Amino acid sequence: MGLRESKKQETRQLISDCATRLFIEQGFEQTTIAEIATAARVAKKTVTNYFPRKEDLALDHHEEFTQGLARSVAERGPDETPLAALSRTFRTALLEHSPVVGFTGPAFARMVADSPTLTARLRELHDRREDALATALATAVPTDTPAIALRAAAALIAASDRLLFRRIQELTLDGQTNDVIEATLLPQADHLRTLLAAALANDPTGAPW
């Protein structure tokens, strides 16, 4: 990374950090772009150049989030099924207490829960995550697999993923520590994966999910 690009990344991170602090202190809807620009000591236009949507200032890792399931499928091992790869990568993220699966901390989780705008945006990102997964699954199964089977498999997997994300957020807001959340979610995630495996095994198309 060159000096120019490094400087741009530093500015982006500074703006994001200032925005998050203000959102937590004041609430998302109550905080203005002008206030964020002042806190970051940049022009208002600089903020909007880096973050065209105000929601992206709070959920600034949205690309990583929406592509996460798809990437797990695309980067799976040569003898690994999509479902096995997804289970493995979720377990790793859970053990790492990754924000991508919901470990955002109580202050951030409360900020999102209290904001209708961010709650709606998060639903949208989950939908995009499902769409990206369906596209990735299309390259992981035989080409004659019906499109409806791809959409159904992606919908089932994404619904399970969304449920686990919501559960982590709920436990975070309930005041549980990350270690307690991890211990609680491990068996629940295993249970969901068993249900998914059973459901997808009965797919009449015979696709290797």
Side-chain angles (χ1 to χ4, degrees):
M1 183 182 299
L3 182 60
R4 180 182 175 83
E5 186 61 29
S6 178
K7 181 62 176 177
K8 287 173 62 177
Q9 290 296 328
E10 289 176 5
T11 301
R12 188 183 192 281
Q13 189 61 54
L14 173 63
I15 293 170
S16 176
D17 290 345
C18 289
T20 299
R21 175 176 58 79
L22 289 173
F23 291 153
I24 289 173
E25 291 175 354
Q26 304 177 173
F28 178 80
E29 273 78 14
Q30 292 73 28
T31 301
T32 67
I33 297 297
E35 288 175 317
I36 294 168
T38 299
R41 297 183 179 181
V42 298
K44 183 177 176 181
K45 184 173 177 56
T46 301
V47 175
T48 56
N49 282 342
Y50 280 99
F51 300 94
R53 296 179 58 165
K54 184 181 173 185
E55 298 95 313
D56 293 341
L57 282 157
L59 306 172
D60 61 326
H61 296 293
H62 59 277
E63 291 298 334
E64 178 184 357
F65 178 79
T66 56
Q67 295 301 315
L69 299 180
R71 188 175 296 111
S72 294
V73 171
E75 297 176 356
R76 71 191 187 283
D79 299 318
E80 193 173 31
T81 65
L83 193 58
L86 289 163
S87 179
R88 172 179 54 78
T89 54
F90 177 83
R91 188 179 185 88
T92 298
L94 184 65
L95 295 175
E96 293 175 349
H97 303 165
S98 170
V100 174
V101 295
F103 287 95
T104 60
F108 192 93
R110 174 54 58 196
M111 176 193 72
V112 174
D114 288 345
S115 168
T117 303
L118 290 180
T119 300
R121 175 60 169 162
L122 189 56
R123 285 197 297 269
E124 178 187 341
L125 293 178
H126 275 292
D127 289 343
R128 287 175 54 188
R129 192 168 165 88
E130 179 182 326
D131 291 341
L133 174 60
T135 300
L137 288 174
T139 66
V141 297
T143 55
D144 60 349
T145 302
I148 191 64
L150 294 169
R151 295 299 317 186
L156 287 171
I157 295 168
S160 173
D161 182 79
R162 189 180 306 212
L163 177 59
L164 292 170
F165 185 96
R166 184 180 301 128
R167 186 68 181 128
I168 292 172
Q169 292 278 284
E170 289 172 350
L171 291 171
T172 298
L173 291 172
D174 194 43
Q176 302 299 322
T177 66
N178 286 348
D179 287 341
V180 169
I181 296 172
E182 173 194 313
T184 302
L185 264 290
L186 279 171
Q188 293 182 5
D190 289 343
H191 181 69
L192 281 177
R193 298 304 180 193
T194 300
L195 292 177
L196 278 174
L200 294 174
N202 292 323
D203 183 351
T205 69
W209 307 113

